[in-house]
Amino acid sequence: MEFNLHVQGRIDGGTVIVVRGDLDYAALDQFRTCVEQALQPPPGILYVDLQLLTFVDSTGVGALVAARHHAERAGTRLVLENPSSMLQHALRTASLLTSFGLPPA
C-alpha cells in the first residue's frame, strides 16, 4: 500500500499525524520529515494516528522511537493513537509498550 501522511490540527491544541500504509524503510525519510515539520512550532502534544497503518517493521518501530525522542527534546509529548495489535506486538517484543504510555499486555 502506498505510504502517505496527513497532518491536521486538533481542538485541544495538539497536532495529529495520520499515518496510512506501510511504515518501513521506504517511508522513513517521509515520516521523519513530517514529524520535524509537525514540531514547528512545538505543539503540547503530537498525536500519531495509526488506525490506517497496514505494516510496520523494525525500521518503522525505530522511526516511532526517534519521533518520541525528537518530540521530547522539543518539549512535546508523543501519543500513539489506534495502534494495531501488530504494532503493539512489535512494541511489546522490543519492550517499548510502556515507553509509549501503552499498557503492558
PDB file of all heavy atoms in Angstrom, residues 10-37:
ATOM      1  N   ARG A  10      -5.797  19.926  16.063  1.00  0.00           N
ATOM      2  CA  ARG A  10      -6.731  19.287  16.981  1.00  0.00           C
ATOM      3  C   ARG A  10      -7.293  20.372  17.885  1.00  0.00           C
ATOM      4  O   ARG A  10      -6.616  21.340  18.184  1.00  0.00           O
ATOM      5  CB  ARG A  10      -5.983  18.228  17.788  1.00  0.00           C
ATOM      6  CG  ARG A  10      -6.853  17.232  18.497  1.00  0.00           C
ATOM      7  CD  ARG A  10      -5.904  16.224  19.172  1.00  0.00           C
ATOM      8  NE  ARG A  10      -6.551  15.103  19.745  1.00  0.00           N
ATOM      9  CZ  ARG A  10      -6.864  13.976  19.116  1.00  0.00           C
ATOM     10  NH1 ARG A  10      -6.595  13.835  17.848  1.00  0.00           N
ATOM     11  NH2 ARG A  10      -7.426  12.988  19.745  1.00  0.00           N
ATOM     12  N   ILE A  11      -8.480  20.200  18.355  1.00  0.00           N
ATOM     13  CA  ILE A  11      -9.148  21.222  19.161  1.00  0.00           C
ATOM     14  C   ILE A  11      -8.343  21.583  20.406  1.00  0.00           C
ATOM     15  O   ILE A  11      -8.226  22.738  20.752  1.00  0.00           O
ATOM     16  CB  ILE A  11     -10.571  20.764  19.553  1.00  0.00           C
ATOM     17  CG1 ILE A  11     -11.435  20.696  18.290  1.00  0.00           C
ATOM     18  CG2 ILE A  11     -11.187  21.694  20.577  1.00  0.00           C
ATOM     19  CD1 ILE A  11     -12.801  20.101  18.500  1.00  0.00           C
ATOM     20  N   ASP A  12      -7.740  20.609  21.053  1.00  0.00           N
ATOM     21  CA  ASP A  12      -7.016  20.888  22.301  1.00  0.00           C
ATOM     22  C   ASP A  12      -5.619  21.472  22.060  1.00  0.00           C
ATOM     23  O   ASP A  12      -4.824  21.579  22.964  1.00  0.00           O
ATOM     24  CB  ASP A  12      -6.938  19.642  23.179  1.00  0.00           C
ATOM     25  CG  ASP A  12      -6.151  18.512  22.539  1.00  0.00           C
ATOM     26  OD1 ASP A  12      -5.568  18.715  21.458  1.00  0.00           O
ATOM     27  OD2 ASP A  12      -6.112  17.427  23.130  1.00  0.00           O
ATOM     28  N   GLY A  13      -5.319  21.848  20.831  1.00  0.00           N
ATOM     29  CA  GLY A  13      -4.046  22.483  20.539  1.00  0.00           C
ATOM     30  C   GLY A  13      -2.943  21.544  20.112  1.00  0.00           C
ATOM     31  O   GLY A  13      -1.871  21.989  19.731  1.00  0.00           O
ATOM     32  N   GLY A  14      -3.196  20.239  20.172  1.00  0.00           N
ATOM     33  CA  GLY A  14      -2.197  19.286  19.718  1.00  0.00           C
ATOM     34  C   GLY A  14      -2.205  19.176  18.199  1.00  0.00           C
ATOM     35  O   GLY A  14      -3.049  19.745  17.520  1.00  0.00           O
ATOM     36  N   THR A  15      -1.241  18.461  17.681  1.00  0.00           N
ATOM     37  CA  THR A  15      -1.141  18.214  16.250  1.00  0.00           C
ATOM     38  C   THR A  15      -1.259  16.715  16.024  1.00  0.00           C
ATOM     39  O   THR A  15      -0.750  15.926  16.814  1.00  0.00           O
ATOM     40  CB  THR A  15       0.209  18.722  15.715  1.00  0.00           C
ATOM     41  OG1 THR A  15       0.274  20.131  15.918  1.00  0.00           O
ATOM     42  CG2 THR A  15       0.369  18.436  14.244  1.00  0.00           C
ATOM     43  N   VAL A  16      -1.927  16.330  14.933  1.00  0.00           N
ATOM     44  CA  VAL A  16      -2.133  14.922  14.603  1.00  0.00           C
ATOM     45  C   VAL A  16      -1.433  14.601  13.292  1.00  0.00           C
ATOM     46  O   VAL A  16      -1.605  15.307  12.297  1.00  0.00           O
ATOM     47  CB  VAL A  16      -3.637  14.590  14.459  1.00  0.00           C
ATOM     48  CG1 VAL A  16      -3.830  13.114  14.127  1.00  0.00           C
ATOM     49  CG2 VAL A  16      -4.393  14.967  15.704  1.00  0.00           C
ATOM     50  N   ILE A  17      -0.646  13.535  13.288  1.00  0.00           N
ATOM     51  CA  ILE A  17      -0.112  12.961  12.057  1.00  0.00           C
ATOM     52  C   ILE A  17      -0.886  11.678  11.813  1.00  0.00           C
ATOM     53  O   ILE A  17      -0.868  10.771  12.644  1.00  0.00           O
ATOM     54  CB  ILE A  17       1.383  12.631  12.171  1.00  0.00           C
ATOM     55  CG1 ILE A  17       2.208  13.896  12.407  1.00  0.00           C
ATOM     56  CG2 ILE A  17       1.867  11.907  10.915  1.00  0.00           C
ATOM     57  CD1 ILE A  17       3.683  13.616  12.664  1.00  0.00           C
ATOM     58  N   VAL A  18      -1.593  11.608  10.690  1.00  0.00           N
ATOM     59  CA  VAL A  18      -2.323  10.405  10.322  1.00  0.00           C
ATOM     60  C   VAL A  18      -1.422   9.602   9.376  1.00  0.00           C
ATOM     61  O   VAL A  18      -1.021  10.097   8.320  1.00  0.00           O
ATOM     62  CB  VAL A  18      -3.664  10.735   9.632  1.00  0.00           C
ATOM     63  CG1 VAL A  18      -4.389   9.466   9.219  1.00  0.00           C
ATOM     64  CG2 VAL A  18      -4.530  11.591  10.558  1.00  0.00           C
ATOM     65  N   VAL A  19      -1.099   8.379   9.785  1.00  0.00           N
ATOM     66  CA  VAL A  19      -0.224   7.500   9.015  1.00  0.00           C
ATOM     67  C   VAL A  19      -1.090   6.523   8.230  1.00  0.00           C
ATOM     68  O   VAL A  19      -1.967   5.883   8.789  1.00  0.00           O
ATOM     69  CB  VAL A  19       0.734   6.721   9.950  1.00  0.00           C
ATOM     70  CG1 VAL A  19       1.605   5.773   9.154  1.00  0.00           C
ATOM     71  CG2 VAL A  19       1.576   7.676  10.786  1.00  0.00           C
ATOM     72  N   ARG A  20      -0.812   6.416   6.942  1.00  0.00           N
ATOM     73  CA  ARG A  20      -1.570   5.491   6.095  1.00  0.00           C
ATOM     74  C   ARG A  20      -0.595   4.660   5.272  1.00  0.00           C
ATOM     75  O   ARG A  20       0.246   5.207   4.574  1.00  0.00           O
ATOM     76  CB  ARG A  20      -2.487   6.259   5.164  1.00  0.00           C
ATOM     77  CG  ARG A  20      -3.254   5.382   4.235  1.00  0.00           C
ATOM     78  CD  ARG A  20      -4.043   6.198   3.227  1.00  0.00           C
ATOM     79  NE  ARG A  20      -5.114   5.377   2.749  1.00  0.00           N
ATOM     80  CZ  ARG A  20      -6.397   5.668   2.848  1.00  0.00           C
ATOM     81  NH1 ARG A  20      -6.779   6.794   3.374  1.00  0.00           N
ATOM     82  NH2 ARG A  20      -7.296   4.831   2.399  1.00  0.00           N
ATOM     83  N   GLY A  21      -0.690   3.329   5.390  1.00  0.00           N
ATOM     84  CA  GLY A  21       0.165   2.444   4.615  1.00  0.00           C
ATOM     85  C   GLY A  21       1.226   1.779   5.470  1.00  0.00           C
ATOM     86  O   GLY A  21       1.039   1.574   6.668  1.00  0.00           O
ATOM     87  N   ASP A  22       2.351   1.449   4.831  1.00  0.00           N
ATOM     88  CA  ASP A  22       3.428   0.704   5.479  1.00  0.00           C
ATOM     89  C   ASP A  22       4.484   1.647   6.038  1.00  0.00           C
ATOM     90  O   ASP A  22       5.036   2.463   5.288  1.00  0.00           O
ATOM     91  CB  ASP A  22       4.107  -0.230   4.476  1.00  0.00           C
ATOM     92  CG  ASP A  22       3.175  -1.268   3.883  1.00  0.00           C
ATOM     93  OD1 ASP A  22       2.056  -1.433   4.409  1.00  0.00           O
ATOM     94  OD2 ASP A  22       3.578  -1.922   2.908  1.00  0.00           O
ATOM     95  N   LEU A  23       4.769   1.521   7.310  1.00  0.00           N
ATOM     96  CA  LEU A  23       5.840   2.295   7.938  1.00  0.00           C
ATOM     97  C   LEU A  23       7.074   1.397   7.984  1.00  0.00           C
ATOM     98  O   LEU A  23       7.237   0.564   8.869  1.00  0.00           O
ATOM     99  CB  LEU A  23       5.433   2.762   9.342  1.00  0.00           C
ATOM    100  CG  LEU A  23       6.420   3.664  10.080  1.00  0.00           C
ATOM    101  CD1 LEU A  23       6.786   4.886   9.250  1.00  0.00           C
ATOM    102  CD2 LEU A  23       5.837   4.094  11.415  1.00  0.00           C
ATOM    103  N   ASP A  24       7.906   1.558   6.958  1.00  0.00           N
ATOM    104  CA  ASP A  24       9.092   0.721   6.810  1.00  0.00           C
ATOM    105  C   ASP A  24      10.238   1.589   6.288  1.00  0.00           C
ATOM    106  O   ASP A  24      10.132   2.816   6.263  1.00  0.00           O
ATOM    107  CB  ASP A  24       8.811  -0.467   5.889  1.00  0.00           C
ATOM    108  CG  ASP A  24       8.290  -0.058   4.516  1.00  0.00           C
ATOM    109  OD1 ASP A  24       8.368   1.143   4.153  1.00  0.00           O
ATOM    110  OD2 ASP A  24       7.796  -0.935   3.796  1.00  0.00           O
ATOM    111  N   TYR A  25      11.316   0.952   5.855  1.00  0.00           N
ATOM    112  CA  TYR A  25      12.497   1.685   5.407  1.00  0.00           C
ATOM    113  C   TYR A  25      12.177   2.678   4.294  1.00  0.00           C
ATOM    114  O   TYR A  25      12.678   3.800   4.285  1.00  0.00           O
ATOM    115  CB  TYR A  25      13.585   0.704   4.955  1.00  0.00           C
ATOM    116  CG  TYR A  25      14.848   1.401   4.516  1.00  0.00           C
ATOM    117  CD1 TYR A  25      15.748   1.887   5.459  1.00  0.00           C
ATOM    118  CD2 TYR A  25      15.126   1.588   3.172  1.00  0.00           C
ATOM    119  CE1 TYR A  25      16.894   2.548   5.068  1.00  0.00           C
ATOM    120  CE2 TYR A  25      16.278   2.247   2.773  1.00  0.00           C
ATOM    121  CZ  TYR A  25      17.154   2.726   3.721  1.00  0.00           C
ATOM    122  OH  TYR A  25      18.283   3.384   3.327  1.00  0.00           O
ATOM    123  N   ALA A  26      11.325   2.284   3.366  1.00  0.00           N
ATOM    124  CA  ALA A  26      10.981   3.153   2.239  1.00  0.00           C
ATOM    125  C   ALA A  26      10.254   4.416   2.681  1.00  0.00           C
ATOM    126  O   ALA A  26      10.321   5.449   2.013  1.00  0.00           O
ATOM    127  CB  ALA A  26      10.129   2.387   1.225  1.00  0.00           C
ATOM    128  N   ALA A  27       9.580   4.372   3.819  1.00  0.00           N
ATOM    129  CA  ALA A  27       8.804   5.508   4.314  1.00  0.00           C
ATOM    130  C   ALA A  27       9.556   6.344   5.350  1.00  0.00           C
ATOM    131  O   ALA A  27       9.059   7.381   5.781  1.00  0.00           O
ATOM    132  CB  ALA A  27       7.498   4.998   4.925  1.00  0.00           C
ATOM    133  N   LEU A  28      10.730   5.896   5.725  1.00  0.00           N
ATOM    134  CA  LEU A  28      11.460   6.505   6.841  1.00  0.00           C
ATOM    135  C   LEU A  28      11.690   8.002   6.673  1.00  0.00           C
ATOM    136  O   LEU A  28      11.365   8.791   7.564  1.00  0.00           O
ATOM    137  CB  LEU A  28      12.791   5.778   7.042  1.00  0.00           C
ATOM    138  CG  LEU A  28      13.644   6.210   8.210  1.00  0.00           C
ATOM    139  CD1 LEU A  28      12.923   5.974   9.523  1.00  0.00           C
ATOM    140  CD2 LEU A  28      14.967   5.461   8.183  1.00  0.00           C
ATOM    141  N   ASP A  29      12.243   8.422   5.546  1.00  0.00           N
ATOM    142  CA  ASP A  29      12.548   9.846   5.352  1.00  0.00           C
ATOM    143  C   ASP A  29      11.294  10.704   5.352  1.00  0.00           C
ATOM    144  O   ASP A  29      11.270  11.789   5.935  1.00  0.00           O
ATOM    145  CB  ASP A  29      13.325  10.062   4.053  1.00  0.00           C
ATOM    146  CG  ASP A  29      14.756   9.560   4.140  1.00  0.00           C
ATOM    147  OD1 ASP A  29      15.286   9.452   5.270  1.00  0.00           O
ATOM    148  OD2 ASP A  29      15.344   9.269   3.083  1.00  0.00           O
ATOM    149  N   GLN A  30      10.243  10.216   4.715  1.00  0.00           N
ATOM    150  CA  GLN A  30       8.991  10.965   4.669  1.00  0.00           C
ATOM    151  C   GLN A  30       8.400  11.116   6.069  1.00  0.00           C
ATOM    152  O   GLN A  30       7.929  12.194   6.446  1.00  0.00           O
ATOM    153  CB  GLN A  30       7.999  10.270   3.738  1.00  0.00           C
ATOM    154  CG  GLN A  30       6.728  11.044   3.507  1.00  0.00           C
ATOM    155  CD  GLN A  30       5.767  10.327   2.567  1.00  0.00           C
ATOM    156  OE1 GLN A  30       6.087   9.280   2.001  1.00  0.00           O
ATOM    157  NE2 GLN A  30       4.587  10.882   2.410  1.00  0.00           N
ATOM    158  N   PHE A  31       8.440  10.047   6.859  1.00  0.00           N
ATOM    159  CA  PHE A  31       7.910  10.105   8.223  1.00  0.00           C
ATOM    160  C   PHE A  31       8.740  11.061   9.071  1.00  0.00           C
ATOM    161  O   PHE A  31       8.199  11.903   9.781  1.00  0.00           O
ATOM    162  CB  PHE A  31       7.887   8.708   8.849  1.00  0.00           C
ATOM    163  CG  PHE A  31       7.340   8.689  10.246  1.00  0.00           C
ATOM    164  CD1 PHE A  31       5.980   8.837  10.481  1.00  0.00           C
ATOM    165  CD2 PHE A  31       8.185   8.541  11.341  1.00  0.00           C
ATOM    166  CE1 PHE A  31       5.467   8.827  11.779  1.00  0.00           C
ATOM    167  CE2 PHE A  31       7.691   8.534  12.621  1.00  0.00           C
ATOM    168  CZ  PHE A  31       6.325   8.681  12.845  1.00  0.00           C
ATOM    169  N   ARG A  32      10.056  10.951   8.987  1.00  0.00           N
ATOM    170  CA  ARG A  32      10.951  11.814   9.770  1.00  0.00           C
ATOM    171  C   ARG A  32      10.710  13.290   9.441  1.00  0.00           C
ATOM    172  O   ARG A  32      10.609  14.129  10.343  1.00  0.00           O
ATOM    173  CB  ARG A  32      12.402  11.434   9.492  1.00  0.00           C
ATOM    174  CG  ARG A  32      13.395  12.206  10.322  1.00  0.00           C
ATOM    175  CD  ARG A  32      14.825  11.823   9.999  1.00  0.00           C
ATOM    176  NE  ARG A  32      15.065  10.415  10.239  1.00  0.00           N
ATOM    177  CZ  ARG A  32      15.714   9.614   9.408  1.00  0.00           C
ATOM    178  NH1 ARG A  32      16.195  10.062   8.272  1.00  0.00           N
ATOM    179  NH2 ARG A  32      15.895   8.349   9.710  1.00  0.00           N
ATOM    180  N   THR A  33      10.603  13.610   8.159  1.00  0.00           N
ATOM    181  CA  THR A  33      10.363  14.992   7.734  1.00  0.00           C
ATOM    182  C   THR A  33       9.024  15.499   8.248  1.00  0.00           C
ATOM    183  O   THR A  33       8.905  16.633   8.718  1.00  0.00           O
ATOM    184  CB  THR A  33      10.417  15.096   6.197  1.00  0.00           C
ATOM    185  OG1 THR A  33      11.725  14.706   5.768  1.00  0.00           O
ATOM    186  CG2 THR A  33      10.128  16.502   5.722  1.00  0.00           C
ATOM    187  N   CYS A  34       8.022  14.645   8.190  1.00  0.00           N
ATOM    188  CA  CYS A  34       6.686  15.023   8.663  1.00  0.00           C
ATOM    189  C   CYS A  34       6.706  15.329  10.163  1.00  0.00           C
ATOM    190  O   CYS A  34       6.117  16.308  10.614  1.00  0.00           O
ATOM    191  CB  CYS A  34       5.694  13.909   8.343  1.00  0.00           C
ATOM    192  SG  CYS A  34       3.992  14.334   8.733  1.00  0.00           S
ATOM    193  N   VAL A  35       7.397  14.505  10.936  1.00  0.00           N
ATOM    194  CA  VAL A  35       7.495  14.733  12.382  1.00  0.00           C
ATOM    195  C   VAL A  35       8.197  16.059  12.653  1.00  0.00           C
ATOM    196  O   VAL A  35       7.742  16.869  13.471  1.00  0.00           O
ATOM    197  CB  VAL A  35       8.223  13.564  13.082  1.00  0.00           C
ATOM    198  CG1 VAL A  35       8.569  13.920  14.521  1.00  0.00           C
ATOM    199  CG2 VAL A  35       7.370  12.306  13.032  1.00  0.00           C
ATOM    200  N   GLU A  36       9.296  16.302  11.959  1.00  0.00           N
ATOM    201  CA  GLU A  36      10.035  17.558  12.149  1.00  0.00           C
ATOM    202  C   GLU A  36       9.154  18.761  11.847  1.00  0.00           C
ATOM    203  O   GLU A  36       9.161  19.750  12.586  1.00  0.00           O
ATOM    204  CB  GLU A  36      11.292  17.568  11.281  1.00  0.00           C
ATOM    205  CG  GLU A  36      12.348  16.592  11.757  1.00  0.00           C
ATOM    206  CD  GLU A  36      13.506  16.428  10.777  1.00  0.00           C
ATOM    207  OE1 GLU A  36      13.505  17.087   9.702  1.00  0.00           O
ATOM    208  OE2 GLU A  36      14.409  15.629  11.078  1.00  0.00           O
ATOM    209  N   GLN A  37       8.389  18.697  10.771  1.00  0.00           N
ATOM    210  CA  GLN A  37       7.502  19.801  10.408  1.00  0.00           C
ATOM    211  C   GLN A  37       6.369  19.966  11.406  1.00  0.00           C
ATOM    212  O   GLN A  37       5.983  21.089  11.738  1.00  0.00           O
ATOM    213  CB  GLN A  37       6.942  19.591   9.005  1.00  0.00           C
ATOM    214  CG  GLN A  37       7.991  19.742   7.932  1.00  0.00           C
ATOM    215  CD  GLN A  37       7.483  19.383   6.543  1.00  0.00           C
ATOM    216  OE1 GLN A  37       6.372  18.865   6.376  1.00  0.00           O
ATOM    217  NE2 GLN A  37       8.301  19.640   5.539  1.00  0.00           N
TER     218      GLN A  37
END
